Amino acid sequence: MKYIIHDQVTLAKAPEGPLAAHLASFANELSAQGYSGQLLKLQVRIAAHFSRWLKQRGVGARDICLEHATWYLRYRARHVRSYLDDRAALGHLIAFLDRERLISAQRMPARRLTPIESCTLAYIEYLHEARALSKATIVYYVPFIREFLEHCFDDGPIRLSRLRAGDVVSFVQCQALRLHLKRAKLMTTALRSFLRYARYRGDTTLDLAAAVPVVANWSMPSIPRAISADQTRQLLASINRQTAVGRRNYAILLLLARLGLRAGEIAFLELDDIDWGAGQLSVHGRSGQRNELPLPADVGKAIAAYLQHGRPKSASRRVFLRARAPITGFGRSGVGSLVRHSLQCAGIDAPTRGAHQFRHGLATQMLNHGASLSEIGELLGHRHPQTTKIYTMVDIKALRTLALPWPGGVR
């Protein structure tokens, strides 16, 4: 006799053990996250086997912890045919039990932090509490600080009092060689912030922030690299809008091309940010600012087509969702990956593989058609006029192709 757990999952035996009563709820949550078919069956069946294994060992629901999942995986590897997805499936189950408060939080063993992790967490708390920096800024800073601490202390204890100017200079020199100018600039900014934090804590009396070298050539060496209008048209024409993923990708690329939005602004766009009646889009810009932008008809039509015939069912308020489970919104890196993949499939040799080139392309086109710097800055959400002025720089190489010959010829 088969036992129905979910409309897509049946078990050969009646479920047993401390988790038997919760398998249906687990299956429903997985289904709501977009899992279906074989993946849904696999995860629920492993949960049922895990529950039976727990019963055999006399483990109650309130006593379950991560160690039991580890022990079960070892047992499964020895006695049952195991798969690569088993560990992920049990991870989803433990997370579900924790969210539903079916297992005791104190039973979840806390992993001991490394010295670098402890120091980094304290710095993050300082940035958040004392400096009130945005989450995005903190995310940008932290990887550089981890690398700096690894460079100076390796796996040993963190003693900031032993830092010297030579440590700072050698780290910057090493990192600057492999980083793009913008990343190098961000790295030095993060490093100065951390060294000021170390002095604020009293870990060092030296002003090591002043020892951070300035990476040469900060001035913009040329006009920003922008995708051309022809390449943009070619890319948009290459998208297959007969599929759900194609409708989503087309709408995202249109937002990049027509409004010059940043990748993060598109990724975090929510359904409530679209005012269909007024034809406006409310964009969450940098530093928490919101910009109200007009919604072009073709962009609105593309978004509507995706919402009606491509967007998966989800409780998420994000406009653009992943096509595969778990069905959630994606980050700015997801938009960048979409752009790279689309350019590659279309065979377009664009100036870069990133999403920001559309922003530069839009600004360049507006300038060529007579738009003022204030109009361009308003559309792109620039807070400072100086940011928009980079588009007025002259492309000398392009101008040389237009140069008239000297009337008297070469002498």
PDB file of all heavy atoms in Angstrom, residues 18-54:
ATOM      1  N   PRO A  18      10.244  10.523  14.479  1.00  0.00           N
ATOM      2  CA  PRO A  18       9.846  11.833  15.028  1.00  0.00           C
ATOM      3  C   PRO A  18       9.454  12.870  13.978  1.00  0.00           C
ATOM      4  O   PRO A  18       8.822  13.873  14.316  1.00  0.00           O
ATOM      5  CB  PRO A  18      11.092  12.282  15.792  1.00  0.00           C
ATOM      6  CG  PRO A  18      12.231  11.555  15.147  1.00  0.00           C
ATOM      7  CD  PRO A  18      11.670  10.229  14.738  1.00  0.00           C
ATOM      8  N   LEU A  19       9.806  12.630  12.726  1.00  0.00           N
ATOM      9  CA  LEU A  19       9.495  13.618  11.685  1.00  0.00           C
ATOM     10  C   LEU A  19       8.323  13.212  10.802  1.00  0.00           C
ATOM     11  O   LEU A  19       7.975  13.942   9.873  1.00  0.00           O
ATOM     12  CB  LEU A  19      10.736  13.853  10.805  1.00  0.00           C
ATOM     13  CG  LEU A  19      12.013  14.265  11.529  1.00  0.00           C
ATOM     14  CD1 LEU A  19      13.147  14.455  10.527  1.00  0.00           C
ATOM     15  CD2 LEU A  19      11.792  15.534  12.333  1.00  0.00           C
ATOM     16  N   ALA A  20       7.730  12.060  11.080  1.00  0.00           N
ATOM     17  CA  ALA A  20       6.677  11.533  10.208  1.00  0.00           C
ATOM     18  C   ALA A  20       5.515  12.513  10.043  1.00  0.00           C
ATOM     19  O   ALA A  20       4.994  12.698   8.942  1.00  0.00           O
ATOM     20  CB  ALA A  20       6.168  10.201  10.755  1.00  0.00           C
ATOM     21  N   ALA A  21       5.134  13.177  11.124  1.00  0.00           N
ATOM     22  CA  ALA A  21       3.975  14.082  11.077  1.00  0.00           C
ATOM     23  C   ALA A  21       4.281  15.382  10.346  1.00  0.00           C
ATOM     24  O   ALA A  21       3.354  16.149  10.038  1.00  0.00           O
ATOM     25  CB  ALA A  21       3.504  14.387  12.502  1.00  0.00           C
ATOM     26  N   HIS A  22       5.556  15.634  10.049  1.00  0.00           N
ATOM     27  CA  HIS A  22       5.937  16.919   9.447  1.00  0.00           C
ATOM     28  C   HIS A  22       6.374  16.790   7.986  1.00  0.00           C
ATOM     29  O   HIS A  22       6.742  17.781   7.363  1.00  0.00           O
ATOM     30  CB  HIS A  22       7.069  17.546  10.257  1.00  0.00           C
ATOM     31  CG  HIS A  22       6.782  17.636  11.729  1.00  0.00           C
ATOM     32  ND1 HIS A  22       5.784  18.441  12.249  1.00  0.00           N
ATOM     33  CD2 HIS A  22       7.342  16.983  12.784  1.00  0.00           C
ATOM     34  CE1 HIS A  22       5.758  18.301  13.573  1.00  0.00           C
ATOM     35  NE2 HIS A  22       6.687  17.421  13.917  1.00  0.00           N
ATOM     36  N   LEU A  23       6.341  15.580   7.431  1.00  0.00           N
ATOM     37  CA  LEU A  23       6.799  15.380   6.064  1.00  0.00           C
ATOM     38  C   LEU A  23       5.925  16.116   5.056  1.00  0.00           C
ATOM     39  O   LEU A  23       6.424  16.658   4.068  1.00  0.00           O
ATOM     40  CB  LEU A  23       6.846  13.883   5.740  1.00  0.00           C
ATOM     41  CG  LEU A  23       7.885  13.060   6.508  1.00  0.00           C
ATOM     42  CD1 LEU A  23       7.818  11.599   6.082  1.00  0.00           C
ATOM     43  CD2 LEU A  23       9.284  13.623   6.284  1.00  0.00           C
ATOM     44  N   ALA A  24       4.607  16.122   5.303  1.00  0.00           N
ATOM     45  CA  ALA A  24       3.699  16.808   4.369  1.00  0.00           C
ATOM     46  C   ALA A  24       3.973  18.312   4.358  1.00  0.00           C
ATOM     47  O   ALA A  24       3.996  18.943   3.289  1.00  0.00           O
ATOM     48  CB  ALA A  24       2.247  16.535   4.749  1.00  0.00           C
ATOM     49  N   SER A  25       4.204  18.889   5.544  1.00  0.00           N
ATOM     50  CA  SER A  25       4.505  20.320   5.613  1.00  0.00           C
ATOM     51  C   SER A  25       5.825  20.627   4.923  1.00  0.00           C
ATOM     52  O   SER A  25       5.965  21.647   4.234  1.00  0.00           O
ATOM     53  CB  SER A  25       4.568  20.776   7.073  1.00  0.00           C
ATOM     54  OG  SER A  25       3.325  20.588   7.712  1.00  0.00           O
ATOM     55  N   PHE A  26       6.807  19.732   5.103  1.00  0.00           N
ATOM     56  CA  PHE A  26       8.098  19.903   4.438  1.00  0.00           C
ATOM     57  C   PHE A  26       7.926  19.857   2.925  1.00  0.00           C
ATOM     58  O   PHE A  26       8.487  20.689   2.196  1.00  0.00           O
ATOM     59  CB  PHE A  26       9.049  18.806   4.911  1.00  0.00           C
ATOM     60  CG  PHE A  26      10.420  18.862   4.289  1.00  0.00           C
ATOM     61  CD1 PHE A  26      11.170  20.030   4.295  1.00  0.00           C
ATOM     62  CD2 PHE A  26      10.963  17.731   3.700  1.00  0.00           C
ATOM     63  CE1 PHE A  26      12.443  20.074   3.731  1.00  0.00           C
ATOM     64  CE2 PHE A  26      12.232  17.766   3.128  1.00  0.00           C
ATOM     65  CZ  PHE A  26      12.968  18.940   3.140  1.00  0.00           C
ATOM     66  N   ALA A  27       7.120  18.910   2.444  1.00  0.00           N
ATOM     67  CA  ALA A  27       6.873  18.794   1.002  1.00  0.00           C
ATOM     68  C   ALA A  27       6.176  20.037   0.461  1.00  0.00           C
ATOM     69  O   ALA A  27       6.501  20.534  -0.629  1.00  0.00           O
ATOM     70  CB  ALA A  27       6.042  17.549   0.709  1.00  0.00           C
ATOM     71  N   ASN A  28       5.207  20.563   1.222  1.00  0.00           N
ATOM     72  CA  ASN A  28       4.482  21.754   0.772  1.00  0.00           C
ATOM     73  C   ASN A  28       5.412  22.964   0.684  1.00  0.00           C
ATOM     74  O   ASN A  28       5.292  23.788  -0.236  1.00  0.00           O
ATOM     75  CB  ASN A  28       3.327  22.058   1.729  1.00  0.00           C
ATOM     76  CG  ASN A  28       2.202  21.051   1.623  1.00  0.00           C
ATOM     77  OD1 ASN A  28       2.012  20.441   0.567  1.00  0.00           O
ATOM     78  ND2 ASN A  28       1.466  20.857   2.702  1.00  0.00           N
ATOM     79  N   GLU A  29       6.340  23.079   1.650  1.00  0.00           N
ATOM     80  CA  GLU A  29       7.278  24.211   1.607  1.00  0.00           C
ATOM     81  C   GLU A  29       8.200  24.095   0.400  1.00  0.00           C
ATOM     82  O   GLU A  29       8.462  25.089  -0.284  1.00  0.00           O
ATOM     83  CB  GLU A  29       8.104  24.270   2.886  1.00  0.00           C
ATOM     84  CG  GLU A  29       9.122  25.413   2.859  1.00  0.00           C
ATOM     85  CD  GLU A  29       9.831  25.619   4.168  1.00  0.00           C
ATOM     86  OE1 GLU A  29       9.168  26.027   5.140  1.00  0.00           O
ATOM     87  OE2 GLU A  29      11.043  25.383   4.219  1.00  0.00           O
ATOM     88  N   LEU A  30       8.698  22.887   0.128  1.00  0.00           N
ATOM     89  CA  LEU A  30       9.556  22.692  -1.037  1.00  0.00           C
ATOM     90  C   LEU A  30       8.808  23.021  -2.322  1.00  0.00           C
ATOM     91  O   LEU A  30       9.355  23.642  -3.236  1.00  0.00           O
ATOM     92  CB  LEU A  30      10.060  21.245  -1.082  1.00  0.00           C
ATOM     93  CG  LEU A  30      11.047  20.829   0.013  1.00  0.00           C
ATOM     94  CD1 LEU A  30      11.342  19.348  -0.099  1.00  0.00           C
ATOM     95  CD2 LEU A  30      12.328  21.636  -0.073  1.00  0.00           C
ATOM     96  N   SER A  31       7.547  22.602  -2.378  1.00  0.00           N
ATOM     97  CA  SER A  31       6.742  22.890  -3.571  1.00  0.00           C
ATOM     98  C   SER A  31       6.542  24.390  -3.746  1.00  0.00           C
ATOM     99  O   SER A  31       6.613  24.922  -4.860  1.00  0.00           O
ATOM    100  CB  SER A  31       5.385  22.182  -3.466  1.00  0.00           C
ATOM    101  OG  SER A  31       4.582  22.458  -4.588  1.00  0.00           O
ATOM    102  N   ALA A  32       6.335  25.111  -2.627  1.00  0.00           N
ATOM    103  CA  ALA A  32       6.146  26.565  -2.691  1.00  0.00           C
ATOM    104  C   ALA A  32       7.423  27.271  -3.137  1.00  0.00           C
ATOM    105  O   ALA A  32       7.371  28.350  -3.724  1.00  0.00           O
ATOM    106  CB  ALA A  32       5.710  27.091  -1.325  1.00  0.00           C
ATOM    107  N   GLN A  33       8.577  26.652  -2.877  1.00  0.00           N
ATOM    108  CA  GLN A  33       9.853  27.227  -3.294  1.00  0.00           C
ATOM    109  C   GLN A  33      10.182  26.921  -4.747  1.00  0.00           C
ATOM    110  O   GLN A  33      11.200  27.369  -5.262  1.00  0.00           O
ATOM    111  CB  GLN A  33      10.982  26.699  -2.399  1.00  0.00           C
ATOM    112  CG  GLN A  33      10.909  27.206  -0.974  1.00  0.00           C
ATOM    113  CD  GLN A  33      12.015  26.618  -0.100  1.00  0.00           C
ATOM    114  OE1 GLN A  33      12.808  25.794  -0.552  1.00  0.00           O
ATOM    115  NE2 GLN A  33      12.061  27.021   1.147  1.00  0.00           N
ATOM    116  N   GLY A  34       9.316  26.151  -5.409  1.00  0.00           N
ATOM    117  CA  GLY A  34       9.522  25.875  -6.822  1.00  0.00           C
ATOM    118  C   GLY A  34      10.084  24.507  -7.139  1.00  0.00           C
ATOM    119  O   GLY A  34      10.279  24.178  -8.312  1.00  0.00           O
ATOM    120  N   TYR A  35      10.360  23.700  -6.115  1.00  0.00           N
ATOM    121  CA  TYR A  35      10.860  22.348  -6.379  1.00  0.00           C
ATOM    122  C   TYR A  35       9.719  21.484  -6.902  1.00  0.00           C
ATOM    123  O   TYR A  35       8.590  21.559  -6.420  1.00  0.00           O
ATOM    124  CB  TYR A  35      11.432  21.716  -5.106  1.00  0.00           C
ATOM    125  CG  TYR A  35      12.727  22.326  -4.648  1.00  0.00           C
ATOM    126  CD1 TYR A  35      12.740  23.309  -3.661  1.00  0.00           C
ATOM    127  CD2 TYR A  35      13.932  21.923  -5.186  1.00  0.00           C
ATOM    128  CE1 TYR A  35      13.928  23.875  -3.230  1.00  0.00           C
ATOM    129  CE2 TYR A  35      15.135  22.481  -4.764  1.00  0.00           C
ATOM    130  CZ  TYR A  35      15.122  23.451  -3.790  1.00  0.00           C
ATOM    131  OH  TYR A  35      16.294  24.007  -3.373  1.00  0.00           O
ATOM    132  N   SER A  36      10.009  20.665  -7.860  1.00  0.00           N
ATOM    133  CA  SER A  36       8.990  19.784  -8.415  1.00  0.00           C
ATOM    134  C   SER A  36       9.654  18.532  -8.952  1.00  0.00           C
ATOM    135  O   SER A  36      10.878  18.441  -9.058  1.00  0.00           O
ATOM    136  CB  SER A  36       8.207  20.485  -9.534  1.00  0.00           C
ATOM    137  OG  SER A  36       9.096  20.862 -10.586  1.00  0.00           O
ATOM    138  N   GLY A  37       8.826  17.551  -9.292  1.00  0.00           N
ATOM    139  CA  GLY A  37       9.338  16.348  -9.933  1.00  0.00           C
ATOM    140  C   GLY A  37      10.319  15.583  -9.072  1.00  0.00           C
ATOM    141  O   GLY A  37      10.116  15.384  -7.867  1.00  0.00           O
ATOM    142  N   GLN A  38      11.403  15.159  -9.686  1.00  0.00           N
ATOM    143  CA  GLN A  38      12.356  14.256  -9.056  1.00  0.00           C
ATOM    144  C   GLN A  38      13.031  14.859  -7.831  1.00  0.00           C
ATOM    145  O   GLN A  38      13.263  14.174  -6.829  1.00  0.00           O
ATOM    146  CB  GLN A  38      13.418  13.823 -10.080  1.00  0.00           C
ATOM    147  CG  GLN A  38      14.272  12.644  -9.641  1.00  0.00           C
ATOM    148  CD  GLN A  38      13.460  11.385  -9.417  1.00  0.00           C
ATOM    149  OE1 GLN A  38      12.441  11.185 -10.053  1.00  0.00           O
ATOM    150  NE2 GLN A  38      13.902  10.556  -8.484  1.00  0.00           N
ATOM    151  N   LEU A  39      13.366  16.160  -7.894  1.00  0.00           N
ATOM    152  CA  LEU A  39      14.025  16.798  -6.754  1.00  0.00           C
ATOM    153  C   LEU A  39      13.127  16.833  -5.527  1.00  0.00           C
ATOM    154  O   LEU A  39      13.584  16.618  -4.401  1.00  0.00           O
ATOM    155  CB  LEU A  39      14.462  18.216  -7.123  1.00  0.00           C
ATOM    156  CG  LEU A  39      15.782  18.358  -7.886  1.00  0.00           C
ATOM    157  CD1 LEU A  39      16.038  19.805  -8.244  1.00  0.00           C
ATOM    158  CD2 LEU A  39      16.938  17.810  -7.051  1.00  0.00           C
ATOM    159  N   LEU A  40      11.844  17.091  -5.732  1.00  0.00           N
ATOM    160  CA  LEU A  40      10.896  17.115  -4.615  1.00  0.00           C
ATOM    161  C   LEU A  40      10.786  15.720  -3.995  1.00  0.00           C
ATOM    162  O   LEU A  40      10.835  15.564  -2.760  1.00  0.00           O
ATOM    163  CB  LEU A  40       9.531  17.601  -5.107  1.00  0.00           C
ATOM    164  CG  LEU A  40       8.408  17.689  -4.062  1.00  0.00           C
ATOM    165  CD1 LEU A  40       8.807  18.627  -2.945  1.00  0.00           C
ATOM    166  CD2 LEU A  40       7.114  18.150  -4.704  1.00  0.00           C
ATOM    167  N   LYS A  41      10.656  14.700  -4.841  1.00  0.00           N
ATOM    168  CA  LYS A  41      10.553  13.321  -4.342  1.00  0.00           C
ATOM    169  C   LYS A  41      11.810  12.936  -3.573  1.00  0.00           C
ATOM    170  O   LYS A  41      11.740  12.332  -2.503  1.00  0.00           O
ATOM    171  CB  LYS A  41      10.342  12.359  -5.512  1.00  0.00           C
ATOM    172  CG  LYS A  41       9.029  12.536  -6.248  1.00  0.00           C
ATOM    173  CD  LYS A  41       8.958  11.598  -7.454  1.00  0.00           C
ATOM    174  CE  LYS A  41       7.693  11.853  -8.257  1.00  0.00           C
ATOM    175  NZ  LYS A  41       7.643  11.005  -9.481  1.00  0.00           N
ATOM    176  N   LEU A  42      12.965  13.265  -4.126  1.00  0.00           N
ATOM    177  CA  LEU A  42      14.234  12.895  -3.507  1.00  0.00           C
ATOM    178  C   LEU A  42      14.345  13.465  -2.098  1.00  0.00           C
ATOM    179  O   LEU A  42      14.690  12.754  -1.140  1.00  0.00           O
ATOM    180  CB  LEU A  42      15.399  13.399  -4.367  1.00  0.00           C
ATOM    181  CG  LEU A  42      16.799  13.270  -3.765  1.00  0.00           C
ATOM    182  CD1 LEU A  42      17.195  11.812  -3.669  1.00  0.00           C
ATOM    183  CD2 LEU A  42      17.825  14.039  -4.593  1.00  0.00           C
ATOM    184  N   GLN A  43      14.025  14.750  -1.938  1.00  0.00           N
ATOM    185  CA  GLN A  43      14.208  15.398  -0.642  1.00  0.00           C
ATOM    186  C   GLN A  43      13.236  14.867   0.402  1.00  0.00           C
ATOM    187  O   GLN A  43      13.603  14.662   1.560  1.00  0.00           O
ATOM    188  CB  GLN A  43      14.059  16.912  -0.794  1.00  0.00           C
ATOM    189  CG  GLN A  43      15.106  17.531  -1.725  1.00  0.00           C
ATOM    190  CD  GLN A  43      15.225  19.024  -1.565  1.00  0.00           C
ATOM    191  OE1 GLN A  43      15.579  19.514  -0.500  1.00  0.00           O
ATOM    192  NE2 GLN A  43      14.951  19.758  -2.619  1.00  0.00           N
ATOM    193  N   VAL A  44      11.984  14.626   0.004  1.00  0.00           N
ATOM    194  CA  VAL A  44      11.000  14.116   0.971  1.00  0.00           C
ATOM    195  C   VAL A  44      11.327  12.677   1.357  1.00  0.00           C
ATOM    196  O   VAL A  44      11.221  12.295   2.527  1.00  0.00           O
ATOM    197  CB  VAL A  44       9.577  14.214   0.391  1.00  0.00           C
ATOM    198  CG1 VAL A  44       8.567  13.590   1.349  1.00  0.00           C
ATOM    199  CG2 VAL A  44       9.205  15.677   0.142  1.00  0.00           C
ATOM    200  N   ARG A  45      11.753  11.862   0.410  1.00  0.00           N
ATOM    201  CA  ARG A  45      12.075  10.462   0.718  1.00  0.00           C
ATOM    202  C   ARG A  45      13.300  10.352   1.619  1.00  0.00           C
ATOM    203  O   ARG A  45      13.342   9.515   2.508  1.00  0.00           O
ATOM    204  CB  ARG A  45      12.287   9.690  -0.585  1.00  0.00           C
ATOM    205  CG  ARG A  45      10.981   9.444  -1.328  1.00  0.00           C
ATOM    206  CD  ARG A  45      11.196   8.791  -2.676  1.00  0.00           C
ATOM    207  NE  ARG A  45       9.915   8.574  -3.355  1.00  0.00           N
ATOM    208  CZ  ARG A  45       9.786   8.133  -4.603  1.00  0.00           C
ATOM    209  NH1 ARG A  45      10.882   7.868  -5.318  1.00  0.00           N
ATOM    210  NH2 ARG A  45       8.596   7.966  -5.131  1.00  0.00           N
ATOM    211  N   ILE A  46      14.302  11.212   1.408  1.00  0.00           N
ATOM    212  CA  ILE A  46      15.459  11.205   2.300  1.00  0.00           C
ATOM    213  C   ILE A  46      15.030  11.638   3.707  1.00  0.00           C
ATOM    214  O   ILE A  46      15.493  11.083   4.713  1.00  0.00           O
ATOM    215  CB  ILE A  46      16.558  12.132   1.758  1.00  0.00           C
ATOM    216  CG1 ILE A  46      17.215  11.491   0.532  1.00  0.00           C
ATOM    217  CG2 ILE A  46      17.604  12.418   2.821  1.00  0.00           C
ATOM    218  CD1 ILE A  46      18.315  12.311  -0.082  1.00  0.00           C
ATOM    219  N   ALA A  47      14.113  12.610   3.790  1.00  0.00           N
ATOM    220  CA  ALA A  47      13.601  13.037   5.097  1.00  0.00           C
ATOM    221  C   ALA A  47      12.888  11.884   5.799  1.00  0.00           C
ATOM    222  O   ALA A  47      13.036  11.696   7.019  1.00  0.00           O
ATOM    223  CB  ALA A  47      12.658  14.224   4.919  1.00  0.00           C
ATOM    224  N   ALA A  48      12.126  11.086   5.031  1.00  0.00           N
ATOM    225  CA  ALA A  48      11.436   9.928   5.608  1.00  0.00           C
ATOM    226  C   ALA A  48      12.431   8.879   6.090  1.00  0.00           C
ATOM    227  O   ALA A  48      12.269   8.300   7.175  1.00  0.00           O
ATOM    228  CB  ALA A  48      10.484   9.331   4.577  1.00  0.00           C
ATOM    229  N   HIS A  49      13.463   8.621   5.308  1.00  0.00           N
ATOM    230  CA  HIS A  49      14.488   7.653   5.710  1.00  0.00           C
ATOM    231  C   HIS A  49      15.237   8.150   6.948  1.00  0.00           C
ATOM    232  O   HIS A  49      15.559   7.361   7.852  1.00  0.00           O
ATOM    233  CB  HIS A  49      15.475   7.432   4.564  1.00  0.00           C
ATOM    234  CG  HIS A  49      14.848   6.777   3.372  1.00  0.00           C
ATOM    235  ND1 HIS A  49      15.393   6.849   2.098  1.00  0.00           N
ATOM    236  CD2 HIS A  49      13.703   6.051   3.245  1.00  0.00           C
ATOM    237  CE1 HIS A  49      14.618   6.191   1.252  1.00  0.00           C
ATOM    238  NE2 HIS A  49      13.591   5.708   1.928  1.00  0.00           N
ATOM    239  N   PHE A  50      15.518   9.433   6.992  1.00  0.00           N
ATOM    240  CA  PHE A  50      16.204  10.033   8.137  1.00  0.00           C
ATOM    241  C   PHE A  50      15.347   9.886   9.393  1.00  0.00           C
ATOM    242  O   PHE A  50      15.847   9.558  10.484  1.00  0.00           O
ATOM    243  CB  PHE A  50      16.491  11.504   7.834  1.00  0.00           C
ATOM    244  CG  PHE A  50      17.212  12.249   8.922  1.00  0.00           C
ATOM    245  CD1 PHE A  50      18.351  11.715   9.525  1.00  0.00           C
ATOM    246  CD2 PHE A  50      16.771  13.493   9.353  1.00  0.00           C
ATOM    247  CE1 PHE A  50      19.038  12.408  10.521  1.00  0.00           C
ATOM    248  CE2 PHE A  50      17.440  14.190  10.343  1.00  0.00           C
ATOM    249  CZ  PHE A  50      18.575  13.645  10.936  1.00  0.00           C
ATOM    250  N   SER A  51      14.037  10.119   9.246  1.00  0.00           N
ATOM    251  CA  SER A  51      13.125   9.996  10.382  1.00  0.00           C
ATOM    252  C   SER A  51      13.099   8.553  10.908  1.00  0.00           C
ATOM    253  O   SER A  51      13.105   8.326  12.136  1.00  0.00           O
ATOM    254  CB  SER A  51      11.715  10.425   9.960  1.00  0.00           C
ATOM    255  OG  SER A  51      10.810  10.342  11.042  1.00  0.00           O
ATOM    256  N   ARG A  52      13.084   7.578  10.003  1.00  0.00           N
ATOM    257  CA  ARG A  52      13.087   6.173  10.412  1.00  0.00           C
ATOM    258  C   ARG A  52      14.397   5.831  11.121  1.00  0.00           C
ATOM    259  O   ARG A  52      14.419   5.110  12.118  1.00  0.00           O
ATOM    260  CB  ARG A  52      12.868   5.273   9.201  1.00  0.00           C
ATOM    261  CG  ARG A  52      12.693   3.798   9.557  1.00  0.00           C
ATOM    262  CD  ARG A  52      12.394   2.947   8.333  1.00  0.00           C
ATOM    263  NE  ARG A  52      11.126   3.346   7.714  1.00  0.00           N
ATOM    264  CZ  ARG A  52      11.033   3.921   6.513  1.00  0.00           C
ATOM    265  NH1 ARG A  52      12.125   4.143   5.790  1.00  0.00           N
ATOM    266  NH2 ARG A  52       9.858   4.254   6.028  1.00  0.00           N
ATOM    267  N   TRP A  53      15.507   6.366  10.625  1.00  0.00           N
ATOM    268  CA  TRP A  53      16.825   6.136  11.232  1.00  0.00           C
ATOM    269  C   TRP A  53      16.874   6.726  12.641  1.00  0.00           C
ATOM    270  O   TRP A  53      17.425   6.128  13.562  1.00  0.00           O
ATOM    271  CB  TRP A  53      17.891   6.756  10.331  1.00  0.00           C
ATOM    272  CG  TRP A  53      19.301   6.628  10.799  1.00  0.00           C
ATOM    273  CD1 TRP A  53      20.149   5.573  10.604  1.00  0.00           C
ATOM    274  CD2 TRP A  53      20.048   7.602  11.548  1.00  0.00           C
ATOM    275  NE1 TRP A  53      21.382   5.826  11.172  1.00  0.00           N
ATOM    276  CE2 TRP A  53      21.344   7.067  11.751  1.00  0.00           C
ATOM    277  CE3 TRP A  53      19.757   8.863  12.053  1.00  0.00           C
ATOM    278  CZ2 TRP A  53      22.332   7.760  12.445  1.00  0.00           C
ATOM    279  CZ3 TRP A  53      20.737   9.552  12.741  1.00  0.00           C
ATOM    280  CH2 TRP A  53      22.009   9.008  12.935  1.00  0.00           C
ATOM    281  N   LEU A  54      16.276   7.926  12.812  1.00  0.00           N
ATOM    282  CA  LEU A  54      16.228   8.552  14.134  1.00  0.00           C
ATOM    283  C   LEU A  54      15.424   7.710  15.114  1.00  0.00           C
ATOM    284  O   LEU A  54      15.809   7.559  16.289  1.00  0.00           O
ATOM    285  CB  LEU A  54      15.614   9.955  14.025  1.00  0.00           C
ATOM    286  CG  LEU A  54      16.445  11.023  13.306  1.00  0.00           C
ATOM    287  CD1 LEU A  54      15.598  12.273  13.064  1.00  0.00           C
ATOM    288  CD2 LEU A  54      17.693  11.384  14.101  1.00  0.00           C
TER     289      LEU A  54
END
